[in-house]
Amino acid sequence: MKKLKLALAVIAIALFVNCKSNNEESIDASKIKTEGEAIIAELTSPPFVPKPVGDRPAKKLIVNLEIIEQEGEMADGVKYMYWTFGGTVPGSFIRTRVGDEIEFHLKNHPDNKLPHNIDLHAVTGPGGGAEASFVAPGHEVTFSFKVLNPGLFVYHCATAPVGMHIANGMYGLILVEPEGGLPKVDKEYYIMQGDFYTKGSYGEKGLQPFDMAKAIKEEPDYVVFNGKTGAITGDKSLSAKVGETVRLFVGNGGPNLVSSFHVIGEIFDKVHVEGGSLINKNVQTTLIPSGGAAIVDFKVDVPGNLVIVDHSIFRTFNKGSLGILSVTGEENKTLYSGNQSDKVYSPEGGTIQTMPGNKSASPKKAVTLAERIADGKSIYSTTCYACHQPAGEGIPNAFPPLAKSDYLNADVNRAIDIVIHGKTGEMIVNGKKYNSVMTAQTLTDEEIANVLTYVYDSWGNSKKEVTKEMVEKVRKEKK
Ligand SMILES: [Cu+2]
């Protein structure tokens, strides 16, 4: 009997402690009083976010958001008529804290053609504000709400046809920080995924109208971060230094697709699952529903380009959902060594012993030019062709052509360097702009010589022979 009582007491204490740790959630935010003068909310364009709220008290916060319908560029040479909150896709980032009273001014620019409104998922009230905020071109509406729940929330237009307004870019994020703010980090960025439906297929030039039939079938031509391909690559890449903590506020505007959000070469230390208060740790890929969000925190420990993707990976390589977080700083060979050794693997037990690191013992040494080309062809068909295509024709806007490539033919050392080290950033091949990522190829110098000789010998290229010595030289010069 005594034992039973003791057990019950332990359970009771455990429950009590448990309740206490969830206390943060049970504060009645509707009772938080605002203090001092009203302030005007700082709004930012992606990929930037306003300053953290820190320990400021709850306030009356005035948000001025302007709707602008304007033509923009979806991809190189591909124009699209975007409908925006604040002139960008996603719309301006709004940062608040629990208990703030928001006085929301929604302005519809007089040059716009259509009425719009806003549904903020952070609003407790009918339509998330949509009913109160319906606004015609040349008008401004005002409505107010108190933010009660901490978290990262999507806002979007909810004017009929709702799907079309969202598909044209009318979404963004509003962050409600808890009392005292989120834990401090070194870098914060704003990313939002969206799917787009155009009359022409991926990469087709000119002004592309919205395609309702494709939207209904949920077959987008573009799946992108921040409204267009390449919005966060090349010189627009996100950046951080080794040792810094990074926080990404990630939203998914949809209208249709769910995002399998992943950063290649990183593990999320912390994820606010679905943008709420539940924290998951040590996450590889986090699912972000359409109309949902997540906050992901991680520390960057080694330098390099981290590739931000929707891991439904055809979207990344063929529809545009690719971004870069460029990390600079000191290498740490204990955390990541890079390629340490690449030697001949012979399951039957080879008779030729290979010295570690001595790549010249590769048995595939070509003697004649014909042998070099034959070996290069087989390397090409296993290593390069998935991206550059069987006849070197490439894929428009994704992978540049190697066939009759002016870029390739102009500079052999540059081509060797690209195959050794990979390449990212803008390049122009045969008059077309590419801004993507080619991963470094782990090939021996001999193999690189052979595959490039094959490429130079094929498809109307300039018929150069690339030798192992040439590759070695580039490897030494461009470490
Ligand atoms: Cu709208």
Side-chain angles (χ1 to χ4, degrees), residues 83 115-117 157 159 165 170:
W83 300 348
H116 301 280
N117 65 5
C157 183
T159 304
H165 284 249
M170 297 197 81

Side-chain angles (χ1 to χ4, degrees), residues 12 24 42 68 103 115 173 180 202 211 250 294-295 331 356 359 366 403 443-444 464-465 472:
E24 182 210 337
E42 177 192 2
I68 304 168
E103 182 183 296
L173 292 178
Y202 182 85
D211 188 318
V250 193
I295 305 173
E331 304 221 34
K359 290 173 179 166
L443 298 173
T444 64
K464 274 185 200 68
E465 180 174 2
E472 274 168 358

